[in-house]
Amino acid sequence: MWGRAKATSPDEEAIAAAVGTTREVFLSGRTRSVSSRIERLRALRALILDNRSSFAGALWEDLGKSRQEVELTESDVVLGEISFALRNLRRWTRRRRVPVPMALQPASAGLLAEPLGVILVVSPWNYPVQLLLAPLVGVLAAGNAAVLKPSELAPATSRLIARLVPEYFPDGAVSVVEGGVDETTAVLAQRFDHIVFTGSAGVGRVVLRAAAEHLTPVTLELGGKSPVWFDDDEGLQEAARRIVWAKFTNAGQTCVAPDYVLTTPGRVEPLIAAMRSALIDLWGAEPRTNPQYGRIATDRHFDRLVSLFEGVDIAVGGAHDRAERYIAPSIVTLAQSGEMVIGPQSPAPVLQDEIFGPILPIVAVPSVEAAIHAINATEKPLALYVFSGSARVRRLFEERTSSGALVHDAAIIHVGAPTLPFGGVGGSGMGAYHGAYSWSSFSHLKPILRKPLRPDTLRAVQPGSHGIVRRLAQVLLRVG
Ligand code: NAD
């Protein structure tokens, strides 16, 4: 549904009209100049800073996120992206001269980064501010107009954004369509110049199919099972603390959260013991009463997660309460026989799909080679985390696995670095954004070549020119 009103049923005409209005703003050229891009980035910063309390309230209502967590994992990431874009914008937008080969001389050439047009951003519920507004930073910095589709599963945040956007972008360069599957289907029927989708692989396929109708390029930010390898006995306490912090922040509902840990059999028990005490340190002995510990977003996800406790041994946690959608931080192990299989073919449900909740399986494998084999036998993950004291092992993971990102001795923090591209590979997505990578994803680098009419050197390759001269020119020009 468009703008401020509450979504009831998709009004396709209203959605089409609204996308059309956003396109008119883009075609008017008002989003292109560097000064207007700076103005819009500042407007986005003001939208966040002026409404910190409202965002904290909405995210508490939607996901039980504490204010501290909202600032660290939602607004600060967007604000960091805005500062980075503001610092670099003039340099990025500068037209770059490029050399022209002798055969084409006299001529001059350059590269102009032009905006793509109207970009649709569709976001999920787990970081409903960050994953909607961080892409928007790059979209605006590159001079585009945007249509935002927040997640219906974070309704308070969606309503807040739909209310604030027209206030801070009164000219309509950014607009919001609220709603769920029907509304997203109606939006996707429209023609966009690029789509940024963050969500599950299943819906990613729906988006890609819809985009194909208009030959629209797509950035797909998907999820998957992000593994951890652990063998760093010296760093056991620190590694355990970092892994559980990354895993159980937002109650495990983070796309780059560690999904499972692979380690050798002798390390399972010491790792679990270290994780148990790290959990108490971070969220106390009773996380349910700690306002810093989140809740599961929906009943459906709660039921799905609780069913994963079947067939595993619960080493830590396991408590849950449907009325509150609370699941304690839980660490589980699996009795297994034969080769470890990760992914849809695994006999253990907890190892089949992305867990996306506060359950962490610790899986014993005989060796680092067996771990790499198991990881490579399934979809390429969005992130891979290696906690190893051995340079050889670190290099093995760097060279013999493929993932959206690889982080040594920490997890999830790479998302906060605007100097690193954020995105998946293979099953975890396509394309990347953040910092300068957003800029290049949402711009078209247009070559502009000028060849003066005089002297008319192109005559040499045209019919009627002398045979030898023509052949020579063709070789130099590599045409014909
Ligand atoms: P989702 O795919 O269910 O929904 C994402 C968006 O798609 C929502 O805005 C929703 O309204 C829309 N949508 C849902 N079903 C649709 C349909 N049939 N047709 C058209 N649109 C539809 O994802 P989610 O449950 O909100 O988020 C969880 C998933 O997102 C996990 O897989 C997680 O790993 C992934 N994720 C990835 C990243 C990343 O940056 N790579 C970040 C967060 C979450």
Side-chain angles (χ1 to χ4, degrees), residues 122-126 131 149-152 179-181 184-185 188 197-200 203 206 221-224 255 301 354 356 382 422:
V122 181
S123 70
W125 50 266
N126 60 336
L131 296 173
K149 213 303 284 173
S151 171
E152 74 283 15
V181 175
T184 316
T185 306
L188 285 171
F197 169 79
T198 306
S200 58
V203 182
V206 173
E221 298 284 341
L222 310 177
C255 58
H301 280 293
E354 181 183 8
F356 217 60
L382 187 56
F422 177 60

Side-chain angles (χ1 to χ4, degrees), residues 207-295:
V207 171
L208 205 50
R209 272 197 290 271
E213 281 303 310
H214 300 287
L215 293 178
T216 299
V218 175
T219 302
L220 290 183
E221 298 284 341
L222 310 177
K225 292 184 85 61
S226 295
V228 177
W229 166 256
F230 171 79
D231 71 10
D232 188 356
D233 303 322
E234 298 268 296
L236 173 67
Q237 304 301 332
E238 295 84 353
R241 189 182 171 95
R242 287 184 180 194
I243 296 168
V244 296
W245 170 71
K247 172 70 186 184
F248 297 107
T249 291
N250 201 25
Q253 301 163 111
T254 304
C255 58
V256 285
D259 191 90
Y260 61 99
V261 179
L262 296 172
T263 192
T264 49
R267 293 187 169 100
V268 171
E269 282 313 317
L271 185 59
I272 290 174
M275 286 180 164
R276 185 182 290 115
S277 71
L279 278 173
I280 293 174
D281 225 32
L282 288 167
W283 288 284
E286 191 44 84
R288 179 203 286 256
T289 58
N290 185 336
Q292 305 276 343
Y293 185 73
R295 295 294 183 268

Side-chain angles (χ1 to χ4, degrees), residues 170-457:
D171 69 351
V174 182
S175 37
V176 183
V177 176
E178 280 193 277
V181 175
D182 292 348
E183 287 79 4
T184 316
T185 306
V187 181
L188 285 171
Q190 300 300 310
R191 185 182 166 279
F192 291 95
D193 300 291
H194 193 98
I195 298 174
V196 189
F197 169 79
T198 306
S200 58
V203 182
R205 287 187 181 90
V206 173
V207 171
L208 205 50
R209 272 197 290 271
E213 281 303 310
H214 300 287
L215 293 178
T216 299
V218 175
T219 302
L220 290 183
E221 298 284 341
L222 310 177
K225 292 184 85 61
S226 295
V228 177
W229 166 256
F230 171 79
D231 71 10
D232 188 356
D233 303 322
E234 298 268 296
L236 173 67
Q237 304 301 332
E238 295 84 353
R241 189 182 171 95
R242 287 184 180 194
I243 296 168
V244 296
W245 170 71
K247 172 70 186 184
F248 297 107
T249 291
N250 201 25
Q253 301 163 111
T254 304
C255 58
V256 285
D259 191 90
Y260 61 99
V261 179
L262 296 172
T263 192
T264 49
R267 293 187 169 100
V268 171
E269 282 313 317
L271 185 59
I272 290 174
M275 286 180 164
R276 185 182 290 115
S277 71
L279 278 173
I280 293 174
D281 225 32
L282 288 167
W283 288 284
E286 191 44 84
R288 179 203 286 256
T289 58
N290 185 336
Q292 305 276 343
Y293 185 73
R295 295 294 183 268
I296 306 307
T298 63
D299 288 344
R300 188 174 64 82
H301 280 293
F302 177 90
D303 294 339
R304 176 184 64 79
L305 287 162
V306 168
S307 76
L308 297 181
F309 284 127
E310 276 165 40
V312 298
D313 297 318
I314 300 173
V316 177
H320 49 87
D321 175 358
R322 196 170 196 272
E324 269 191 48
R325 293 201 302 269
Y326 166 79
I327 300 179
S330 304
I331 298 171
V332 303
T333 57
L334 296 95
Q336 47 176 315
S337 55
E339 193 186 329
M340 174 50 52
V341 180
I342 307 289
Q345 312 307 326
S346 173
V350 78
L351 296 183
Q352 288 169 359
D353 297 317
E354 181 183 8
I355 295 172
F356 217 60
I359 302 172
L360 181 63
I362 312 284
V363 181
V365 284
S367 63
V368 67
E369 284 74 18
I372 288 176
H373 183 264
I375 292 168
N376 286 344
T378 187
E379 293 286 4
K380 294 179 181 178
L382 187 56
L384 200 158
Y385 305 117
V386 178
F387 292 80
S388 175
S390 153
R392 182 191 75 86
V393 169
R394 288 197 293 270
R395 216 171 32 252
L396 268 184
F397 277 99
E398 287 173 11
E399 291 172 1
R400 296 212 356 234
T401 65
S402 177
S403 52
L406 190 153
V407 182
H408 293 294
D409 298 333
I412 72 171
I413 57 165
H414 59 295
V415 177
T419 46
L420 297 175
F422 177 60
V425 56
S428 52
M430 59 179 79
Y433 73 108
H434 279 194
Y437 301 93
S438 298
W439 163 262
S440 43
S441 289
F442 308 141
S443 298
H444 165 57
L445 209 52
K446 181 165 72 180
I448 299 182
L449 180 103
R450 177 155 190 263
K451 179 157 178 65
L453 289 171
R454 293 189 203 95
D456 192 0
T457 54

